[in-house]
Amino acid sequence: MKIAVDPFMLRGLSLTEMVRTVADIGYSYIELSPREDFLPFFLHPRADDGRVAELKRALTETGVQLASVLPLYRWSGPDEDERQAAVRYWKRAIEITSELGCEVMNSEFNGRPERPAESEAQFWRSMEELLPVFEREGIALNLEPHPDDFCELNAPGVDLVRAINKPWVNYLYCAPHTFHLSDGAGGIAEMMRYAGAKLRHVHISDTFNHKGSSGLRYITNPPGNPARIHQHLDIGQGEVDWDEFFSTLHAMDFDGIATVCVFAWEERARASLTYNLERVTKELAA
């Protein structure tokens, strides 16, 4: 199993300093998420040969490895011009991932929840263009439903991944999305077991149950607005059932990527990432 860190809270550091900080904290793997100087959100990658070489040097010097690369593009957006642009961005991101020697990428379904049929059609259109590129480069892909995507629920997300029908396209269960992933029919264990052998990646951070307290755990205005709310907190700060989460991974003999993805505490990023590494290492070794 690879215990990785999403270094988003360290994005203000240079690539080299980010990798050194991750190594100093004790992580052996990085899940490289969007950052403005490398793979920005929803825009064409900025990384040139020099930046790729800088990152490779830092990884070699520290012994840290890339577990996965996480780009986010509007590849399922109903707007066709945006979708075509996203495919171009994806192709460059795949090329960069291959240059870095990383064999896994992960991302979200994207698209619009109020236009699910159109978004899914765009998703499949993008898949038709990109699957041969992934296959040619030997890069696996792990996908997750996300709040405000065209697919937000666990079982439909797993079914979409299965429909791609490629052994190297698998499922990512994101713990801080737990209360969005369930339609009320099951908990963490049931959702993970539904993914079964397709579960190859988990994201680890805590969140509160937005459905709790009669839907008043959070109050947003105006009432009834469609905002999706969740956090990426330290383990133990929210309401995710961590006993169920980790015991299910053990029962399933999970041997994929487990990424700490806490975003809430930039003002104490190092302490947060250190605590969560210690907790995850202990839980997964138990």
Side-chain angles (χ1 to χ4, degrees), residues 192-214:
M192 284 185 174
R193 290 185 182 282
Y194 188 81
K198 280 295 186 183
L199 181 65
R200 299 299 302 148
H201 202 147
V202 293
H203 278 173
I204 299 176
S205 56
D206 215 335
T207 192
F208 287 105
N209 182 0
H210 65 284
K211 301 172 184 174
S213 196
S214 302

Side-chain angles (χ1 to χ4, degrees), residues 73-78 107-127 143-154 156-161 163-164 228:
Y73 304 125
R74 294 185 176 92
W75 59 345
S76 304
S107 195
E108 302 163 4
F109 287 122
N110 193 248
R112 298 302 312 142
E114 70 274 8
R115 300 170 70 180
E118 292 172 78
S119 296
E120 181 173 338
Q122 295 288 74
F123 173 75
W124 288 113
R125 196 168 286 127
S126 295
M127 284 287 100
L143 292 171
E144 63 165 309
H146 193 282
D148 207 44
D149 281 0
F150 80 87
C151 178
E152 301 178 276
L153 297 175
N154 183 79
V158 172
D159 292 343
L160 269 171
V161 166
I164 295 169
R228 274 73 164 169

Side-chain angles (χ1 to χ4, degrees), residues 3-19 22 28-41 45-48 51-56 58-59 64-73 90 92-107 172 201 203 257-261 263:
I3 299 175
V5 63
D6 181 329
F8 188 73
M9 292 196 294
L10 306 175
R11 66 193 181 283
L13 302 176
S14 70
L15 286 165
T16 298
E17 285 305 310
M18 177 272 288
V19 175
V22 165
S28 298
Y29 295 95
I30 287 173
E31 180 174 310
L32 186 63
S33 58
R35 47 182 289 153
E36 292 300 310
D37 62 352
F38 208 84
L39 298 174
F41 285 101
R46 302 306 196 233
D48 61 1
R51 287 227 171 102
V52 171
E54 178 188 353
L55 180 53
K56 289 178 73 172
L59 293 168
V64 174
Q65 299 178 57
L66 288 183
S68 62
V69 174
L70 164 57
L72 289 173
Y73 304 125
W90 259 110
R92 175 58 181 150
I94 294 169
E95 183 179 55
I96 290 168
T97 301
S98 180
E99 290 171 2
L100 289 167
C102 182
E103 298 179 346
V104 179
M105 299 181 80
N106 59 287
S107 195
L172 188 160
H201 202 147
H203 278 173
I257 300 169
T259 302
V260 170
C261 58
F263 306 145

